[in-house]
Amino acid sequence: MAVTIGRGSKSNFHINSALNQSELRQLQRALAGAATLENRVNTIIGIMKASAEPARAQMQSDSPVDTGVLSNSFKSRKLLKVPKGVFGIRVGAARGSKLAGWRAHFTELGTKHHPAQPFIQKAIQKHEAGILQSLTRNLRNLLKTLT
């Protein structure tokens, strides 16, 4: 199993887990008790989110607070457009109603009027190794409990 952490942009990162054919078959057999394929994928996504939670929490706590809208915008969300056998989440500033994720890069990188206040890249760098270890351990434990 290949687990990678990639930079989505300066204000988020992605965690992907790609399985080779035999690992995919083993995981499908192990998760056969789940009612639907969606439940199986959601189980893996839940493990990914739990593994990335320390980084998300640090992004949220280290973000500069003026109104608090930006700090409340850090989420872990499932990637929607991925090839078969790849599962992924996006961790970082989210956009949407009452979310200010679209402007996180201004704080992270600075503008011509305001100096950079980097906090996202620091969280990613600090937690990258721990995320990989936690994700690998949790996926192995899932396979052991299901087989």
Side-chain angles (χ1 to χ4, degrees):
M1 170 176 29
V3 177
T4 59
I5 296 179
R7 306 275 194 273
S9 69
K10 294 292 184 184
S11 63
N12 64 70
F13 67 96
H14 298 165
I15 299 175
N16 293 317
S17 177
L19 306 172
N20 65 34
Q21 289 299 321
S22 65
E23 290 170 331
L24 184 58
R25 282 191 294 275
Q26 180 185 6
L27 186 61
Q28 288 171 337
R29 282 193 303 269
L31 292 173
T36 65
L37 180 60
E38 185 175 339
N39 289 347
R40 297 171 194 166
V41 171
N42 287 338
T43 300
I44 295 170
I45 295 297
I47 290 172
M48 290 178 168
K49 286 183 177 183
S51 297
E53 179 57 25
R56 190 212 57 80
Q58 185 173 355
M59 286 179 199
Q60 186 170 12
S61 67
D62 289 354
S63 68
V65 177
D66 184 19
T67 62
V69 177
L70 177 60
S71 63
N72 292 329
S73 297
F74 290 94
K75 310 283 182 203
S76 298
R77 295 185 174 174
K78 178 180 172 182
L79 291 178
L80 300 177
K81 296 180 181 179
V82 292
K84 184 177 179 178
V86 175
F87 309 97
I89 63 170
R90 176 184 183 267
V91 181
R95 296 179 300 234
S97 177
K98 299 185 182 181
L99 297 175
W102 63 271
R103 63 179 185 223
H105 65 283
F106 295 132
T107 307
E108 179 76 9
L109 304 173
T111 66
K112 69 179 185 178
H113 300 290
H114 299 282
Q117 298 175 353
F119 61 99
I120 296 172
Q121 290 297 313
K122 287 179 183 178
I124 293 169
Q125 290 168 356
K126 179 179 179 182
H127 294 282
E128 188 170 15
I131 290 169
L132 287 172
Q133 290 173 349
S134 174
L135 182 59
T136 303
R137 182 182 64 246
N138 290 337
L139 286 174
R140 282 188 185 136
N141 290 340
L142 174 67
L143 287 173
K144 285 179 185 176
T145 60
L146 295 174
T147 54

